[in-house]
Every structure is written in C-alpha cells, then in structure tokens.
Amino acid sequence: MGSISTNEFKSGVKIILENDPYSIVENEMVKPGKGQAFNRVRVRNLKTGRTIERTFKSGDTVEAADVVETDMQYLYADGEFWHFMVPDTFEQYTAGKEAVGDTMKWLKDGMECVVMLWNGVPLNVTPPAHVELKIVKSDPGVRGDTATGGGKPAELETGAVVRVPLFINEGELIRVDTRTGEYIARAKG
C-alpha cells in the first residue's frame, strides 16, 4: 500500500501506526512562531476502538491502511463467530466478537450490512441505519397509563430491548434506528 503525507491528513483517512489500522478522527495543523510546523492528530484504532493523539512533523509520511468497506449479507452466528457473505462472489468471512460488538443485537439472518475489512479480516460491522424486527416479548399496555410518557420495554427477535409506545403489542413488526436504539414506527408489512 502507498504512503500518505501529513498534508493529506483529514478526517476519515485510514493509516497504519504500530502495525495496527487507525482512522484519523481530527487533524490540526500547528505553525508555531519558531520552529517547524507539525500536525496534531487524534486517531482511533480500528481494532480496539481506542482513541490516541499523535504528533507528526510537517512533511512526514505514514503507511496508508488497506481498509475496505464491503456490503455483505449476514448469514448466521455459531455462538463464537458471526458469518457474512459477499452477495456477488459468495465469498464468506467470519467476524469475531470484537468486530461485531453491540451490532449483534440488530443482526437478523439475510440482512445487508457494511463490513470493514483489513487484510481480509473483518474489523467492524455496521448494520443498516433502520431495521424491521418483530417483538417477541412485551407487557400489555395499560389504558390511561401515560404519566410516564407512554412507553414500555419490548424485547425483539434478535434479543435487543427497545422502548415502544403503549399501543404496540407482542408479535408486531416495528422499525428501529440502529444508531440510537430507538423505536421509529410500526413496520408496514
């Protein structure tokens, strides 16, 4: 892979530091009155999610990370790993718990996800922004009980728990925002 100069640093650029892939979160060019200009950069480790700060002299170069984001279909989980497939080539990838993280509570068989790969290894799984899931467990809403804002917890088919309005019942299909974990609406279906 090529190298990236400090003047090409911007948010979202993927680089290699200490043999790990990082994504630039923030880049600040500093020109002191005396001495050489430098870049103060905040980077996030794509494997662990940790954010660190680094300083680079102006004109320094770093190796670009060969990170690719690919649309894949979620197939199944076997308890330890989650299995994904590229629909065009039928190539399959196995992601561990670190790559899937909290996303697991939104994954449903056959769902399209964006999987970030580094050297053929899944680093991160991003579900669609909105998913339609069935409610498998929810208490019945009590009529007139709106003093608390009219919400109740509901368990979805994937194991996720979201707050839903009182009029939503067990067995219904609902639309949920995976970024916030909030109920959006009843699904049409």
Side-chain angles (χ1 to χ4, degrees), residues 7-21:
N7 60 0
E8 297 172 284
F9 281 6
K10 62 180 178 234
S11 202
V13 171
K14 315 285 191 286
I15 60 173
I16 299 284
L17 289 176
E18 298 156 5
N19 298 321
D20 272 355

Side-chain angles (χ1 to χ4, degrees), residues 44-79:
R44 184 173 43 87
N45 187 318
L46 295 173
K47 281 180 160 179
T48 64
R50 263 196 212 107
T51 304
I52 59 171
E53 272 197 27
R54 281 285 146 83
T55 304
F56 297 94
K57 283 189 274 183
S58 188
D60 278 357
T61 58
V62 290
E63 188 181 347
D66 187 16
V67 174
V68 183
E69 289 189 341
T70 311
D71 288 332
M72 292 192 198
Q73 184 179 22
Y74 170 63
L75 299 176
Y76 64 94
D78 62 15

Side-chain angles (χ1 to χ4, degrees), residues 10-134:
K10 62 180 178 234
S11 202
V13 171
K14 315 285 191 286
I15 60 173
I16 299 284
L17 289 176
E18 298 156 5
N19 298 321
D20 272 355
Y22 283 81
S23 177
I24 295 177
V25 177
E26 227 177 86
N27 175 42
E28 179 186 4
M29 176 86 175
V30 180
K31 293 180 184 172
K34 211 168 158 184
Q36 187 178 7
F38 62 92
N39 288 58
R40 190 176 297 128
V41 183
R42 279 188 50 219
V43 289
R44 184 173 43 87
N45 187 318
L46 295 173
K47 281 180 160 179
T48 64
R50 263 196 212 107
T51 304
I52 59 171
E53 272 197 27
R54 281 285 146 83
T55 304
F56 297 94
K57 283 189 274 183
S58 188
D60 278 357
T61 58
V62 290
E63 188 181 347
D66 187 16
V67 174
V68 183
E69 289 189 341
T70 311
D71 288 332
M72 292 192 198
Q73 184 179 22
Y74 170 63
L75 299 176
Y76 64 94
D78 62 15
E80 192 176 348
F81 296 104
W82 287 260
H83 300 268
F84 296 87
M85 176 184 72
V86 180
D88 305 339
T89 63
F90 302 108
E91 195 175 348
Q92 292 191 18
Y93 292 89
T94 304
K97 191 171 179 75
E98 307 80 43
V100 178
D102 287 341
T103 301
M104 72 177 84
K105 65 184 175 190
W106 307 118
L107 294 179
K108 184 176 162 185
D109 295 358
M111 182 180 281
E112 290 283 322
C113 299
V114 176
V115 179
M116 183 187 294
L117 297 171
W118 178 57
N119 295 340
V121 178
L123 285 178
N124 192 343
V125 176
T126 308
H130 303 109
V131 293
E132 291 183 0
L133 297 169
K134 188 176 185 178

Side-chain angles (χ1 to χ4, degrees), residues 80 92 99 132 135 137 156-157 186:
E80 192 176 348
Q92 292 191 18
E132 291 183 0
I135 296 176
K137 193 169 141 194
L156 306 177
E157 61 187 299
R186 276 186 172 137

Side-chain angles (χ1 to χ4, degrees), residues 164-181:
V164 296
L166 293 172
F167 60 83
I168 299 293
N169 298 311
E170 207 170 286
E172 286 192 61
L173 209 58
I174 63 168
R175 182 176 274 268
V176 179
D177 187 327
T178 59
R179 298 164 298 193
T180 61

